């Protein structure tokens, strides 16, 4: 989607500490109208802290956080956001329709109730008490609540956890449709394939720093690990010493290896074993690219004094 859409919210040089722990360490981020941004990172990377700052739930120690050009701790800019958090505690005895009506009443120009229900696929749940719904049904209601105020900026924290495949696909389609109308969406997810399906942009946080910010393809290309598979009698221990080889193992007659300089390694394989056959080269999956990236960054920023 259009990366040059209006900037609706931003962080500039933001730092946040909890006691001795530097949770965010100089984060710059722009959220654009019409763009779906996936915020990824291992546990404890700082994703929730980043969202908490944008929602005005936390205050930065340094740097600047803007929401629609204002301080997110003000009430006015918060009226432009919709939020689906993981630990939503909603009154269990209220009926779904009542919950939606109540939430919509806080917003200046809410969506008609039937539209919110249709977008989240909960038209058949409106008369049911929230507390009596299944986990997946509650999640869909939380999604309806997030979008019922017609927000310009939508925060979705692991929105598809607990949803079955049809519900997940419906949510993805709705998110895409909302982005098409110009809504900025921020999504945290641990499902990388979900990020690949949905996001225009993927931002990876590791230990409070953004280590990658770009398209899904750019993330893949950034970690150019590729898998090589061939039938060869070469010893894995020998191949493991070659430059550009990340890991190597044998599976019966097959030699399998991962490389970040695959052309060079394939040339050397062919020279070293004239009988080599069945050569296959594959790009790494997104999961692999992500794991490589977060592992390398964690190692690069590892401070033995912290571990002592
Ligand atoms: P997860 O994927 O596990 O939800 P996250 O990327 O959302 O993680 P944060 O919740 O932002 O990470 O936490 C960043 C770091 O700050 C972690 O090391 C966490 O333990 C710490 N932290 C977060 N909130 C607090 C708090 N209120 N007090 C102390 N430390 C905190």
């Amino acid at each position: 989607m259009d990366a040059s859409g209006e900037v609706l919210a931003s962080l500039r040089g933001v730092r946040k500490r909890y006691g001795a722990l530097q949770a965010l360490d100089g984060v710059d981020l722009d959220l654009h109208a019409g763009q779906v941004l996936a915020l990824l990172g291992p546990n404890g990377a700082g994703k929730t802290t980043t969202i908490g700052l944008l929602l005005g739930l936390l205050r930065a120690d340094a740097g600047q956080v803007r929401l629609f050009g204002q301080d997110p701790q003000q009430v006015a800019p918060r009226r432009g956001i919709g939020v689906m958090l993981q630990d939503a505690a909603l009154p269990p005895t209220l009926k779904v329709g009542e919950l939606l009506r109540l939430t919509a009443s806080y917003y200046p120009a809410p969506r008609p109730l039937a539209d919110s229900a249709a977008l989240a696929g909960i038209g058949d749940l409106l008369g049911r008490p929230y507390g009596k719904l299944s986990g997946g049904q509650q999640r869909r209601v939380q999604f309806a609540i997030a979008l019922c105020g017609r927000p310009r900026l939508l925060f979705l924290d692991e929105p598809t956890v607990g949803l079955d495949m049809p519900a997940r696909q419906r949510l993805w389609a709705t998110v895409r449709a909302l982005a098409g109308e110009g809504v900025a969406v921020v999504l945290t997810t641990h499902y990388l394939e979900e990020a690949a399906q949905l996001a225009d942009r993927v931002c990876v946080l590791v230990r409070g720093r953004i280590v990658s910010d770009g398209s899904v393809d750019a993330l893949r290309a950034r970690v150019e690990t590729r898998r090589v598979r061939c039938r060869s009698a070469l010893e894995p221990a020998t191949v493991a010493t070659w430059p550009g080889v990340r890991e190597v193992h044998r599976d019966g007659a097959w030699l399998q290896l991962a490389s970040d300089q695959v052309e060079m390694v394939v040339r050397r394989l062919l020279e070293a074993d004239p009988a080599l056959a069945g050569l296959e080269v594959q790009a790494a999956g997104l999961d692999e690219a992500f794991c490589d990236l977060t592992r390398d960054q964690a190692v690069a920023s590892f401070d033995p004094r912290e571990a002592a």
Side-chain angles (χ1 to χ4, degrees):
M1 191 69 48
D2 185 6
S4 61
E6 186 191 350
V7 174
L8 300 185
S10 61
L11 285 87
R12 285 277 168 279
V14 166
R15 292 173 192 281
K16 176 73 187 168
R17 241 176 204 290
Y18 298 106
L21 190 126
Q22 190 75 50
L24 292 184
D25 191 9
V27 168
D28 293 301
L29 186 67
D30 284 333
L31 306 183
H32 295 268
Q35 191 178 64
V36 180
L37 171 88
L39 198 53
L40 298 181
N43 292 138
K47 303 179 296 292
T48 309
T49 302
T50 302
I51 289 182
L53 288 163
L54 286 163
L55 295 178
L57 303 173
L58 299 170
R59 198 181 271 283
D61 300 329
Q64 195 186 50
V65 185
R66 304 309 272 170
L67 181 62
F68 306 119
Q70 300 173 59
D71 179 348
Q73 306 228 319
Q74 309 275 316
V75 174
R78 289 208 235 168
R79 292 223 166 91
I81 60 179
V83 186
M84 180 177 174
L85 293 178
Q86 282 202 65
D87 49 1
L90 296 169
T93 52
L94 279 191
K95 291 188 178 148
V96 170
E98 292 167 342
L99 261 176
L100 267 178
R101 225 170 273 118
L102 183 67
T103 312
S105 72
Y106 300 136
Y107 289 90
R111 244 175 254 285
L113 188 142
D115 290 3
S116 303
L119 282 170
I122 57 159
D124 54 338
L125 302 177
L126 293 175
R128 306 261 311 270
Y130 177 77
K132 299 272 189 238
L133 301 178
S134 74
Q137 289 170 331
Q138 288 189 342
R139 213 70 192 119
R140 275 149 55 196
V141 172
Q142 291 160 18
F143 183 50
I145 284 176
L147 57 79
C148 74
R150 212 188 291 275
R152 296 173 66 203
L153 182 46
L154 189 58
F155 291 93
L156 306 173
D157 191 8
E158 301 203 34
T160 57
V161 168
L163 292 188
D164 60 21
M165 198 32 103
R168 186 170 290 195
Q169 283 173 344
R170 178 198 284 275
L171 185 139
W172 289 348
T174 303
V175 167
R176 293 273 15 138
L178 292 172
E181 291 170 10
V183 175
V185 182
V186 183
L187 167 88
T188 68
T189 178
H190 285 118
Y191 300 125
L192 296 169
E193 288 310 325
E194 177 162 279
Q197 291 263 351
L198 259 186
D200 304 301
R201 197 172 134 210
V202 178
C203 205
V204 183
L205 259 180
V206 178
R207 293 169 66 108
R209 292 193 189 146
I210 292 179
V211 300
S212 170
D213 183 356
S215 66
V216 172
D217 287 344
L219 173 61
R220 272 203 188 99
R222 203 188 137 152
V223 191
E224 285 196 341
T225 303
R226 280 179 281 171
R227 299 258 158 224
V228 179
R229 191 168 178 265
C230 57
R231 280 200 305 278
S232 168
L234 288 170
E235 279 303 320
T238 309
V239 176
T241 63
W242 296 357
V245 174
R246 282 187 164 220
E247 56 178 72
V248 53
H249 67 273
R250 174 165 295 290
D251 178 10
W254 293 90
L255 195 67
Q256 307 202 38
L257 59 91
S259 170
D260 52 6
Q261 294 175 58
V262 77
E263 288 79 8
M264 185 178 83
V265 169
V266 165
R267 237 175 270 131
R268 190 151 177 190
L269 279 169
L270 292 167
E271 278 165 16
D273 181 5
L276 181 147
L279 181 67
E280 292 169 16
V281 178
Q282 280 183 336
L286 188 61
D287 280 306
E288 243 173 294
F290 177 68
C291 285
D292 281 356
L293 181 67
T294 53
R295 185 189 55 223
D296 290 352
Q297 293 295 327
V299 169
S301 63
F302 177 72
D303 182 346
R305 286 166 304 179
E306 286 178 33

